[in-house]
Amino acid sequence: MFLQQLINGITLGCVYALIALGYTMVYGILQLINFAHGEIYMLGAYLGVIGLALLQAIHFAPSSPLVLVLTLALFAALIAALWGITIERLAYRPLRGAGRLAPLIAALGISIVLQNFVMHSQGAREKIFPALWAGSGYIFGNTRVSAVQLLIIITSAVMMVGLTLLVQKTRIGTAMRATAQDRVMAQLCGIDANMIIAITFAIGSALAGIAGVLIAAYYGMINFYIGYQAGLKAFAAAVLGGIGTIPGAMLGGLLLGLVEAFGAGYLSSQYKDVYAFLILILFLIFRPGGLLGEQLAEKV
């Protein structure tokens, strides 16, 4: 049972980490808590369902489930990135310099708008994502690792390593770190801060879109409300790890997933959502900077 809950927790934690990266990147560069980010994740899940329907309608769906899900993830990432750029340009950029409260209220408003947009355009009923790997997986003793779980873990690991390399080893990453540390000075050095901020939103939204497709393939069912709860948990994960730090978001996501899985497995699954926020409250009381928030000075 321990190994099974460990696998389940890592799977959930990887999804939370992908979403939490968007929170922490935006906070690191703008000190803005983008509460609409969870809805981008929800949009990603719906884009997966829509993309699959489109591919099947034109008889162009790949026969391999792996290729199909990766194609849908790429499609969702591109559209989600465009959504992220659009939201930043239309809602947040005009409010820069207006204090912290106005962008926060704007984020909550966008979250509600996106939820209602999806509810009215796609319907309030749950959408089904077909089971592409029904019954497939690997069994080790009493532990079963499904093909979808492996896909989520491997894809998330690749995305996290890729993001780390992008931030640490590329000119764009250097510009992102410079903008996060001092936006005015970065602009004086020739960095287009507006473009870097837009790129940050695009990357964070793309990761959330990919997470949406993966979770749709994992659970096989989505609705317009999944972004709210997942967004709150991912935000909690970012805070646990130390919001503003990329390694902290990854660590916080994994920790939250493990806490939820072990709590559901050993205590009660009815309160699995409670465990995540209980540990968040404990961290806010005893270590408000998060696990890595105080140790790492470098932020993006």
Side-chain angles (χ1 to χ4, degrees):
M1 185 173 179
F2 175 84
L3 287 178
Q4 187 63 64
Q5 297 306 331
L6 181 65
I7 296 296
N8 295 342
I10 291 175
T11 304
L12 275 179
C14 286
V15 174
Y16 292 150
L18 285 180
I19 308 171
L21 284 170
Y23 277 107
T24 209
M25 290 174 69
V26 169
Y27 183 84
I29 210 163
L30 283 179
Q31 283 73 55
L32 164 68
I33 299 173
N34 179 19
F35 279 118
H37 189 62
E39 311 315 326
I40 298 295
Y41 155 81
M42 177 267 293
L43 283 175
Y46 272 87
L47 286 168
V49 174
I50 293 170
L52 178 59
L54 289 174
L55 289 174
Q56 290 175 337
I58 61 175
H59 305 289
F60 203 66
S63 58
S64 166
L66 176 62
V67 176
L68 177 58
V69 172
L70 292 180
T71 302
L72 295 175
L74 179 61
F75 170 70
L78 291 174
I79 304 298
L82 292 177
W83 270 99
I85 293 172
T86 303
I87 290 172
E88 187 276 328
R89 182 65 184 88
L90 297 181
Y92 296 143
R93 192 178 299 183
L95 294 177
R96 281 185 210 161
R100 292 193 174 189
L101 187 57
L104 191 63
I105 294 173
L108 293 173
I110 294 168
S111 174
I112 295 171
V113 168
L114 290 177
Q115 276 188 25
N116 282 272
F117 167 70
V118 171
M119 182 182 69
H120 288 293
S121 62
Q122 298 297 315
R125 291 185 177 181
E126 293 181 325
K127 297 287 184 183
I128 304 297
F129 192 95
L132 302 176
W133 286 281
S136 63
Y138 301 93
I139 298 176
F140 307 95
N142 295 325
T143 305
R144 181 177 182 275
V145 184
S146 69
V148 182
Q149 287 179 313
L150 278 178
L151 176 64
I152 291 175
I153 294 171
I154 294 173
T155 304
S156 301
V158 170
M159 293 294 105
M160 290 184 224
V161 171
L163 178 63
T164 302
L165 292 176
L166 173 73
V167 171
Q168 298 296 334
K169 302 292 183 183
T170 66
R171 291 174 62 88
I172 291 178
T174 303
M176 291 168 70
R177 286 184 283 134
T179 305
Q181 290 177 358
D182 192 326
R183 193 191 318 164
V184 175
M185 184 59 70
Q187 288 176 313
L188 291 175
C189 293
I191 294 174
D192 187 341
N194 286 331
M195 179 178 291
I196 294 302
I197 291 170
I199 290 173
T200 302
F201 270 84
I203 294 173
S205 299
L207 293 175
I210 292 172
V213 172
L214 294 176
I215 209 68
Y218 185 46
Y219 286 127
M221 187 175 293
I222 61 172
N223 58 56
F224 69 93
Y225 205 62
I226 62 171
Y228 174 75
Q229 197 167 53
L232 284 180
K233 290 182 180 178
F235 171 67
V239 174
L240 288 180
I243 192 163
T245 66
I246 288 178
M250 300 176 188
L251 182 61
L254 288 173
L255 177 63
L256 202 68
L258 290 171
V259 168
E260 186 173 317
F262 280 109
Y266 285 99
L267 298 176
S268 171
S269 60
Q270 293 181 335
Y271 298 102
K272 66 176 185 178
D273 296 332
V274 174
Y275 309 134
F277 295 108
L278 180 62
I279 194 171
L280 173 64
I281 292 171
L282 293 176
F283 263 82
L284 288 176
I285 294 173
F286 297 106
R287 194 175 175 84
L291 289 170
L292 303 181
E294 295 178 355
Q295 288 85 343
L296 297 181
E298 191 174 72
K299 302 186 300 180
V300 165

